């Protein structure tokens, strides 16, 4: 069961930087527990040898389970290597996606910055107060959304061990 749960977990492909970090930690944990699993395998082998030596009846299912279990450490090792390669590829993909999203964020922030700067000249008449209020609320909502995206991108940069970049147009606005 332990080998099957490890195998199931290692076959998952991370979709977010958070899942990637979690998978890396899991891979490290599996790596650290190799000796523990080897000890369990040794005990199991000794017990099976005892049963064979003393001519206890062993069913075909038990033999099949034993040999499947004996193959598991090699399977897990190969799967761990494959998982490490997958994590490297996914990391590169996620970094590219992060950079692309950050460029989009800067462009969006620049557009809002321009809207804010034209706001002052557009709403000079007191009769336009309600329209100005609605526009302020809309701009505020957009700024909050961009700030939230910036915070998410900063968290992702932390996960990738990058220095956190700030969106200059967003900071000015």
């Amino acid at each position: 069961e332990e080998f099957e749960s490890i195998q199931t977990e290692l076959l998952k492909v991370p979709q977010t930087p958070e899942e990637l970090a979690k998978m890396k930690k899991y891979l490290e944990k599996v790596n650290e527990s190799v000796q523990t699993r080897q000890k369990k395998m040794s005990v199991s082998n000794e017990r099976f040898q005892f049963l064979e030596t003393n001519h206890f009846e062993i069913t075909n299912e038990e033999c099949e389970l034993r040999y499947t279990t004996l193959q598991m450490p090699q399977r897990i090792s190969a799967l761990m290597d494959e998982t490490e390669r997958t994590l490297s590829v996914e990391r590169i993909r996620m970094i590219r996606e992060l950079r692309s999203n950050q460029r989009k964020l800067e462009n969006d922030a620049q557009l809002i910055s321009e809207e804010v700067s034209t706001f002052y000249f557009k709403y000079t008449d007191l009769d336009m107060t309600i329209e100005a209020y609605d526009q302020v609320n809309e701009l505020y909502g957009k700024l909050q959304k961009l700030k939230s995206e910036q915070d998410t991108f900063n968290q992702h940069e932390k996960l990738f061990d990058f220095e956190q970049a700030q969106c200059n147009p967003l900071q000015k606005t």
Side-chain angles (χ1 to χ4, degrees):
E1 283 183 34
E2 182 179 352
F3 286 115
E4 289 174 5
S5 69
I6 291 171
Q7 184 174 2
T8 301
E9 196 65 33
L10 291 179
L11 287 173
K12 294 179 182 176
V13 178
Q15 300 300 316
T16 65
E18 292 83 5
E19 290 176 5
L20 182 76
K22 183 179 174 184
M23 180 66 85
K24 281 184 178 182
K25 286 181 183 176
Y26 182 76
L27 197 57
E28 288 172 8
K29 180 182 143 198
V30 170
N31 242 343
E32 291 169 359
S33 63
V34 166
Q35 289 183 338
T36 304
R37 285 191 306 280
Q38 286 176 340
K39 287 178 186 176
K40 289 179 183 179
M41 290 293 294
S42 295
V43 169
S44 174
N45 287 336
E46 289 172 9
R47 289 179 180 172
F48 201 84
Q49 287 295 339
F50 175 80
L51 294 175
E52 283 183 329
T53 304
N54 293 307
H55 304 290
F56 282 91
E57 188 174 319
I58 300 171
T59 66
N60 286 341
E61 291 84 21
E62 291 170 329
C63 282
E64 186 177 315
L65 178 61
R66 180 181 191 293
Y67 290 111
T68 301
T69 305
L70 286 175
Q71 295 172 0
M72 281 304 204
Q74 290 84 11
R75 285 185 187 171
I76 295 296
S77 179
L79 191 55
M80 286 173 63
D81 292 341
E82 181 62 30
T83 300
E84 286 179 10
R85 283 190 291 278
T86 300
L87 293 181
S88 294
V89 168
E90 288 301 310
R91 182 178 191 274
I92 291 169
R93 180 190 64 79
M94 288 178 192
I95 290 171
R96 286 182 181 153
E97 187 177 299
L98 174 65
R99 295 302 182 220
S100 172
N101 289 339
Q102 286 175 321
R103 281 191 296 276
K104 183 184 177 307
L105 174 72
E106 285 199 20
N107 290 338
D108 291 348
Q110 186 63 40
L111 291 173
I112 289 180
S113 177
E114 291 169 6
E115 282 185 53
V116 169
S117 64
T118 60
F119 177 83
Y120 178 74
F121 298 109
K122 187 175 181 181
Y123 297 104
T124 56
D125 190 2
L126 195 56
D127 292 335
M128 301 179 83
T129 304
I130 293 175
E131 188 178 328
Y133 176 78
D134 291 340
Q135 185 69 26
V136 166
N137 284 335
E138 182 181 332
L139 288 173
Y140 181 75
K142 289 179 182 179
L143 286 171
Q144 290 301 317
K145 181 178 179 265
L146 292 178
K147 177 71 172 119
S148 173
E149 288 177 11
Q150 177 70 46
D151 293 342
T152 300
F153 298 154
N154 285 345
Q155 287 296 90
H156 291 177
E157 287 178 323
K158 277 185 188 177
L159 292 173
F160 292 126
D161 295 325
F162 293 152
E163 184 177 324
Q164 294 180 18
Q166 294 298 319
C167 178
N168 288 335
L170 188 57
Q171 295 299 318
K172 290 177 185 176
T173 306

